[in-house]
């Protein structure tokens, strides 16, 4: 489910930037593309031997490995036939076998995981699917980030996951923005984050402030498709808050500003459009 450019980026981070001063946390591996990219990059890192002497398994990978209904299509695409609610741990282990000697694989719900393994140099986040997971990961893992640590947000430039953008933009003074690849946004920690901020519930912020933070996220990118996705995210968020009129106004502006994206019938764009229109219709009817 990762694009070739995203995989190449993870490879490059592990091969050219990673020093071994902290661990690599791979949170949300699914079928192992991120783990494989990081592992292959580490293998080609010129300091690999020294890193492994200090940290025999520097990549710590987390995955619940339970087949959910929305993943069946992807499994079928890869020729994997597993029933809903079954475990795909064996499939994941097989996929990452070429780099398993460098990986500590943790199977299970990350809400029950804690971090006590020292500094984290790189953290790849494709697991923040709910606010509860995000809050837990920030409380447990982010205190171990050090100045210069790289935070890779996989679900940034997409139509959903409003909480990811809100908290990252709210903490903007603590990070440098390094760039984007596909839906991924990359940040580097520039100063320590206060503990109180790591426990912030983004849902508690005023709605208008959340919209301003989403606008800031939109300005991170020069890619027109990614800007459009953030506009859809705003509409979905406003609809969830019952602000149908405000959501409709945002949609009117977005449809005028991004006509080609609105007309795009590609699977990803159409799915994002359909979800947004459904949310907007419900909010408007309830207003």
């Amino acid at each position: 489910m990762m694009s070739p450019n995203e995989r190449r980026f993870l490879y490059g981070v592990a091969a050219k930037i990673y020093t071994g001063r902290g661990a690599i946390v791979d949170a949300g591996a699914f079928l192992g593309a991120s783990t494989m990219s990081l592992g292959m990059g580490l293998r080609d890192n010129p300091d690999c031997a020294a890193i492994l002497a200090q940290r025999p398994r520097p990549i710590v990978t987390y995955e619940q490995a339970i087949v959910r209904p929305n993943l069946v299509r992807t499994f079928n695409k890869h020729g994997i036939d597993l029933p809903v609610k079954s475990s795909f741990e064996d499939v994941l282990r097989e996929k990452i076998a070429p780099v398993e000697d460098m990986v500590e694989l943790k199977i299970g719900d990350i809400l029950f995981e804690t971090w006590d393994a020292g500094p984290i140099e790189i953290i790849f986040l494709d697991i923040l699917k709910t606010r509860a997971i995000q809050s837990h990961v920030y409380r447990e893992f982010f205190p171990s980030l050090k100045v210069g640590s790289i935070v890779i947000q996989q679900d940034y430039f997409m139509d959903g996951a409003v909480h990811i953008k809100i908290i990252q933009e709210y903490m903007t003074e603590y990070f440098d923005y390094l760039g984007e690849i596909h839906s991924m946004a990359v940040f580097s920690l520039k100063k320590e984050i206060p503990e109180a901020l790591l426990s912030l519930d983004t849902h508690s912020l005023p709605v208008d402030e959340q919209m301003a933070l989403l606008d800031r996220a939109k300005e991170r990118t020069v890619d027109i498709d990614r800007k459009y996705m953030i506009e859809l995210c705003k509409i979905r968020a406003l609809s969830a808050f019952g602000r149908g009129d405000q959501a409709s106004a945002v949609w009117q502006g977005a449809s005028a500003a991004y006509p080609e994206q609105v007309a795009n019938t590609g699977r990803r764009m159409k799915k994002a459009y359909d979800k947004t229109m459904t949310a907007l219709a419900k909010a408007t009817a309830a207003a």
Side-chain angles (χ1 to χ4, degrees):
M1 296 177 74
M2 295 183 68
S3 71
N5 282 340
E6 288 171 315
R7 295 196 296 270
R8 277 192 285 269
F9 173 76
L10 293 182
Y11 168 90
V13 167
K16 299 179 181 180
I17 297 176
Y18 181 56
T19 68
R21 288 193 291 265
I24 298 175
V25 172
D26 177 17
F30 189 41
L31 291 178
S34 55
T35 305
M36 277 295 297
S37 299
L38 291 164
M40 292 170 68
L42 177 55
R43 191 87 75 194
D44 290 342
N45 188 308
D47 297 322
C48 181
I51 291 171
L52 294 181
Q54 179 183 0
R55 295 178 176 273
R57 294 180 183 269
I59 302 171
V60 185
T61 293
Y62 295 85
E63 175 55 54
Q64 191 170 22
I66 299 297
V67 179
R68 299 188 299 275
N70 64 310
L71 297 177
V72 171
R73 178 189 177 101
T74 302
F75 278 108
N76 291 341
K77 178 181 176 181
H78 289 275
I80 302 167
D81 184 15
L82 289 172
V84 172
K85 296 185 179 180
S86 65
S87 172
F88 61 86
E89 178 181 351
D90 289 346
V91 176
L92 173 56
R93 289 189 180 277
E94 180 182 352
K95 295 287 186 183
I96 67 171
V99 298
E100 65 178 348
D101 58 310
M102 299 183 291
V103 176
E104 181 180 356
L105 179 60
K106 292 180 176 288
I107 300 294
D109 191 338
I110 200 167
L111 289 173
F112 297 100
E113 295 286 351
T114 59
W115 181 263
D116 59 1
I120 296 172
E121 188 173 345
I122 299 168
I123 185 166
F124 170 72
L125 297 168
D126 193 13
I127 204 168
L128 307 182
K129 308 303 182 184
T130 68
R131 284 167 38 226
I133 293 174
Q134 175 177 266
S135 296
H136 178 77
V137 168
Y138 275 57
R139 287 195 307 270
E140 290 293 333
F141 292 81
F142 272 47
S144 294
L145 297 177
K146 303 301 178 183
V147 172
S149 292
I150 295 174
V151 176
I152 305 166
Q153 297 278 13
Q154 171 66 15
D155 293 330
Y156 212 73
F157 295 109
M158 58 178 292
D159 53 298
V162 61
H163 53 281
I164 296 174
K165 306 163 188 61
I166 296 296
I167 189 63
Q168 188 65 55
E169 294 301 334
Y170 191 83
M171 298 192 303
T172 189
E173 68 177 284
Y174 301 95
F175 287 92
D176 287 320
Y177 177 64
L178 301 183
E180 76 231 35
I181 305 94
H182 199 57
S183 64
M184 179 190 293
V186 186
F187 300 85
S188 176
L189 188 72
K190 64 181 179 181
K191 63 179 179 178
E192 184 178 351
I193 306 170
E195 183 177 349
L197 193 54
L198 295 175
S199 299
L200 175 71
D201 181 357
T202 58
H203 206 62
S204 67
L205 297 175
V207 177
D208 290 344
E209 182 176 1
Q210 293 190 40
M211 293 305 106
L213 291 170
L214 289 175
D215 280 332
R216 184 186 295 168
K218 185 178 71 173
E219 294 310 308
R220 297 283 189 192
T221 180
V222 297
D223 184 274
I224 197 74
D225 288 349
R226 295 168 195 155
K227 286 182 179 291
Y228 171 66
M229 284 293 181
I230 300 294
E231 286 296 296
L232 295 188
C233 185
K234 289 170 59 180
I235 296 164
R236 299 254 289 276
L238 288 166
S239 298
F241 281 113
R243 297 196 174 193
D245 290 345
Q246 194 173 349
S248 295
V250 174
W251 170 243
Q252 292 301 318
S255 59
Y258 307 100
E260 292 184 13
Q261 285 66 35
V262 174
N264 190 321
T265 58
R267 182 174 178 271
R268 178 170 175 263
M269 287 290 197
K270 187 176 186 307
K271 184 177 179 181
Y273 171 86
D274 288 346
K275 284 185 175 181
T276 304
M277 290 302 101
T278 298
L280 181 58
K282 289 181 179 178
T284 304

